């Protein structure tokens, strides 16, 4: 009997990736971010620790993204996050926000 909780994640095939149409940015229309004005006024606060952020600190919806690193890099990141007392994802968010702030100034 197979264990239903162990799902194998398969990457999209090259053929299916070729079938995805390219985006024409000349004609594509992006929706306005309803939180952009608030973020510009107050700055962006992203929850780094565990748990749901306080309602007043929520900046709006978030979107999951994938990041690919070799296994040895993930292991290194996990060790460094654990040493700081953070989850891996919290450490990644913190690092990305620090980089974005540094590049913005």
């Amino acid at each position: 009997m197979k264990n239903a909780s162990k799902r194998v994640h398969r990457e999209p095939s090259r053929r299916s990736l070729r079938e995805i149409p390219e985006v024409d940015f000349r004609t594509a229309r992006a929706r306005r971010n309803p939180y952009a004005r608030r973020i510009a006024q107050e700055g962006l606060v992203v929850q780094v620790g565990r748990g749901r952020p306080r309602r007043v600190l929520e900046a709006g919806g978030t979107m999951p993204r994938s990041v690919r690193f070799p296994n040895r890099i993930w292991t290194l990141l996990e060790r460094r996050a654990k040493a700081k007392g953070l989850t891996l994802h919290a450490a990644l968010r913190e690092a990305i926000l620090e980089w974005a702030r540094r590049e913005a100034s």
Side-chain angles (χ1 to χ4, degrees):
M1 185 155 116
K2 290 187 176 184
N3 187 346
S5 66
K6 291 190 177 187
R7 293 185 178 157
V8 177
H9 178 73
R10 294 193 180 109
E11 299 298 321
S13 68
R14 288 184 181 181
R15 181 178 178 190
S16 67
L17 289 174
R18 280 193 304 268
E19 292 174 358
I20 297 173
E22 291 288 327
V23 176
D24 183 1
F25 289 103
R26 292 172 293 159
T27 60
R29 296 195 50 185
R31 290 180 285 170
R32 295 183 60 82
N33 183 344
Y35 305 100
R37 182 178 296 132
R38 180 175 164 200
I39 291 169
Q41 291 172 346
E42 302 172 13
L44 180 62
V45 176
V46 175
Q47 176 75 12
V48 174
R50 292 181 181 263
R52 183 166 178 85
R54 292 192 336 250
R55 185 154 180 85
V56 297
L57 294 179
E58 290 179 348
T62 60
M63 182 181 297
R65 298 289 182 160
S66 296
V67 179
R68 294 176 185 265
F69 291 118
N71 287 339
R72 60 187 169 81
I73 300 297
W74 282 117
T75 304
L76 173 69
L77 293 170
E78 287 168 345
R79 271 192 267 136
R80 290 197 177 171
K82 188 174 183 179
K84 287 183 75 175
L86 297 171
T87 64
L88 172 64
H89 297 284
L92 288 171
R93 285 191 296 269
E94 185 178 82
I96 291 167
L97 288 170
E98 181 182 320
W99 170 77
R101 287 185 191 113
R102 193 172 54 241
E103 291 298 314
S105 27

